[in-house]
Amino acid sequence: MLNPTVEQALNDQIQKEFHSAYIYLSMAAYFEAENLPGSANWMHQQASEEQAHALKIFEFIHDRGGRVVLQAIDAPPATFASPLAVFQASYAHEQKVTKSIHDLYALAVKEGDYPTQIMLQWFIDEQVEEEKTASAIVAQLQMVGDSPAALFMIDRQLAARSGA
Ligand code: FEO
């Protein structure tokens, strides 16, 4: 049986993962409007991954005999100053998600919930990757500055991301 405090925190995390998907979809919409289809593709893939994260926790709650209660999702930002600003926002967002996963893990430890700790290890590893990927793209965009040719090249590279 799932501890009610952990169950509530897992439901909160489902909301955060769907909110992440919403944010990345909004970023995809921005890139579509800016004629950067590779970057839009990257954001679409990211949004799909976030939905998969939410569903992983959704299934886990049910596997443990708990109850999923979906929550409201706030509107994401609709405008961004530049492609660099988008990826900076993405990196900052992932750092917040990492903190949330770590807090959840600490709660599972405090409550002696071993299955939740094991399930969250996947998310802890995933956040290392998510932060690494976002910060690498931020670094590339900072390097190229305002060069349209270089931005075009980076966009081509981001077009190569495909679904996991
Ligand atoms: Fe589900 Fe990007 O963390």
Side-chain angles (χ1 to χ4, degrees):
M1 190 61 198
L2 194 52
N3 168 311
T5 312
V6 174
E7 181 183 60
Q8 180 61 54
L10 288 169
N11 269 301
D12 292 347
Q13 190 64 36
I14 288 177
Q15 190 271 352
K16 287 174 186 156
E17 300 293 343
F18 277 127
H19 187 226
S20 300
Y22 223 37
I23 289 170
Y24 287 122
L25 267 183
S26 186
M27 290 173 171
Y30 164 83
F31 283 126
E32 297 279 4
E34 293 292 313
N35 295 312
L36 290 165
S39 305
N41 167 68
W42 195 95
M43 288 297 171
H44 271 294
Q45 300 291 340
Q46 186 67 25
S48 295
E49 277 198 9
E50 299 301 350
Q51 290 177 66
H53 295 171
L55 294 176
K56 201 181 265 281
I57 300 170
F58 184 104
E59 293 303 331
F60 178 79
I61 290 175
H62 287 140
D63 287 349
R64 301 282 310 284
R67 176 79 166 90
V68 168
V69 180
L70 295 176
Q71 303 170 19
I73 302 172
D74 288 340
T79 56
F80 302 91
S82 65
L84 172 61
V86 177
F87 278 97
Q88 283 173 326
S90 161
Y91 181 37
H93 181 73
E94 288 306 330
Q95 288 173 304
K96 276 203 302 197
V97 174
T98 298
K99 163 125 186 28
S100 172
I101 295 288
H102 290 180
D103 288 349
L104 197 45
Y105 189 89
L107 176 68
V109 170
K110 179 168 162 272
E111 298 293 337
D113 184 339
Y114 300 110
T116 297
Q117 290 171 43
I118 290 167
M119 185 275 291
L120 287 173
Q121 279 168 13
W122 183 91
F123 281 88
I124 291 169
D125 286 344
E126 176 73 2
Q127 284 311 121
V128 171
E129 281 304 307
E130 299 247 303
E131 286 196 30
K132 181 179 139 192
T133 308
S135 72
I137 299 170
V138 166
Q140 280 188 0
L141 288 168
Q142 280 171 332
M143 245 182 281
V144 304
D146 292 330
S147 160
L151 186 57
F152 178 75
M153 294 293 289
I154 291 175
D155 193 63
R156 289 276 300 269
Q157 173 195 317
L158 296 178
R161 182 178 182 180
S162 59

